[in-house]
Amino acid sequence: MSQAERDFSDTELLRYSRHILLDEVGIEGQRKLAQSSVLIVGLGGLGSPAALYLASAGVGRLMLADADTVELTNLQRQIVHREDSLGLSKVASAQRTLAGINAEVQVLPLAERLAGEALLAAVQAADVVLDCSDNFPTRHAVNRACMMAGKPLVSGAAVRFDGQFAVFDPRVPDSPCYRCLFGEDGEASDGPCATFGVFAPLVGIIGAMQAAEALKLLIGLPGVPLGRLLTLDLRSHDWRSLRFKRDPACPVCALRQH
C-alpha cells in the first residue's frame, strides 16, 4: 500500500509536524502532498534546491529530468550534488541525495533531454511542473507541453546576480503563458552560467521560491502570483513585480486544455 493510500505513521506525523501545525496546510494538506507528483526539468542550480525542499516537504513522487553529468564546476551552486557524485548523471546523483533526506519519496530519474512525446507524457504524469532549465528552447517546449496537458508551470531563471520567477496555470481562464511573456526568438544559450557566471546563493533563492509555489499549488493555497514576473537584483536586493496579461494572439495559449 502506497503512502497516498494509508494513514500517516507516527514517524511521518512527527516528520511533517511543522507543516501540520499550519492552519493553511494541516493533515489534509500534507496528505495532498503525499499524493502528488512533480516534474522537475533540470537538476542544476535551480532544480537542486527545489528538489531538496519538495522531497523534505513530503511530495510523494518526484520525476527528475536532466541529460547532463555532474562536473566540478557544478558544486559551487548545485547543492543536491556532492563531490562523490562527480561523473554520475545528475538525476542519479540527485536521487541518491534525496533518498538520504526522505526515503518515503519516490524518485523517478529521467536521464535525458525530454522533448516531443516523451516531454508531453512526463508533463501529463505530473500535477505541477518546474522549469529549472537554462535555455529558451527548453523553456518554450515545457511551456507548450504544460498548455497542452493543462498543468501548472513554475518557471525560474538566474544568471550573474539577476533572477526571475513566474507561475503559469492554464486551468485559470485568461491567464497568460510563458510565450505571452517571452517570444520564441530569444537567446538560445545552453549554458549562460558558463559564459557569464552566477552568484551561488541566487539560484538557491529562486529555486526555493519555485518549490514554495509548487507546494502552494499542490495543497491548493491561495496567493499564487499569476500574471506577474518577479525579478531580483541580488547586488542591491531589489525586487520588482511586473504585471503582464495573456496575449490574445498567442499560438501556444490556443493549445491549452479547456
Side-chain angles (χ1 to χ4, degrees):
M1 184 179 296
S2 70
Q3 180 174 334
E5 297 171 329
R6 60 174 170 78
D7 292 332
F8 289 122
S9 66
D10 289 344
T11 299
E12 289 166 331
L13 290 173
L14 183 61
R15 174 190 285 268
Y16 303 121
S17 60
R18 300 307 188 269
H19 261 178
I20 294 170
L21 286 170
L22 296 171
D23 291 339
E24 296 86 348
V25 181
I27 190 69
E28 289 306 316
Q30 194 62 46
R31 194 182 307 281
K32 289 179 181 179
L33 296 182
Q35 296 170 346
S36 298
S37 179
V38 173
L39 170 64
I40 302 178
V41 181
L43 267 296
L46 300 173
S48 289
L52 291 169
Y53 273 113
L54 293 176
S56 64
V59 172
R61 184 169 183 255
L62 293 177
M63 295 180 286
L64 311 179
D66 198 307
D68 293 338
T69 57
V70 180
E71 301 177 356
L72 187 60
T73 58
N74 301 149
L75 302 185
Q76 168 253 8
R77 65 201 176 281
Q78 299 182 14
I79 58 174
V80 79
H81 309 302
R82 306 288 185 262
E83 287 188 355
D84 61 2
S85 296
L86 293 174
L88 286 180
S89 70
K90 286 187 176 181
V91 294
S93 169
Q95 182 181 33
R96 185 168 65 179
T97 300
L98 297 180
I101 292 174
N102 192 345
E104 295 296 328
V105 174
Q106 179 187 0
V107 178
L108 177 62
L110 303 170
E112 58 184 302
R113 187 181 295 272
L114 290 177
E117 291 300 320
L119 173 58
L120 181 59
V123 169
Q124 289 172 331
D127 296 301
V128 174
V129 177
L130 271 63
D131 179 6
C132 300
S133 65
D134 62 2
N135 64 90
F136 277 103
T138 298
R139 291 169 186 157
H140 282 291
V142 171
N143 175 64
R144 190 175 297 109
C146 287
M147 293 303 109
M148 293 177 66
K151 300 301 177 72
L153 169 63
V154 185
S155 175
V159 67
R160 299 187 178 97
F161 290 86
D162 302 307
Q164 65 183 35
F165 168 85
V167 182
F168 309 93
D169 193 343
R171 302 170 302 176
V172 177
D174 295 323
S175 64
C177 78
Y178 185 85
R179 172 63 173 73
C180 297
L181 181 60
F182 296 107
E184 297 195 47
D185 55 352
E187 173 62 40
S189 171
D190 274 326
C193 292
T195 305
F196 303 118
V198 62
F199 190 53
L202 173 67
V203 291
I205 294 169
I206 302 298
M209 290 176 62
Q210 289 182 265
E213 292 304 322
L215 293 175
K216 287 167 60 180
L217 286 163
L218 294 171
I219 295 171
L221 297 182
V224 175
L226 300 178
R228 292 167 56 195
L229 175 68
L230 302 177
T231 66
L232 168 64
D233 180 348
L234 201 52
R235 286 160 292 207
S236 57
H237 220 121
D238 285 337
W239 286 94
R240 297 182 64 194
S241 179
L242 309 174
R243 296 190 177 274
F244 62 97
K245 296 181 179 181
R246 179 180 179 185
D247 179 0
C250 176
V252 178
C253 282
L255 301 173
R256 74 172 66 199
Q257 297 289 317
H258 297 287

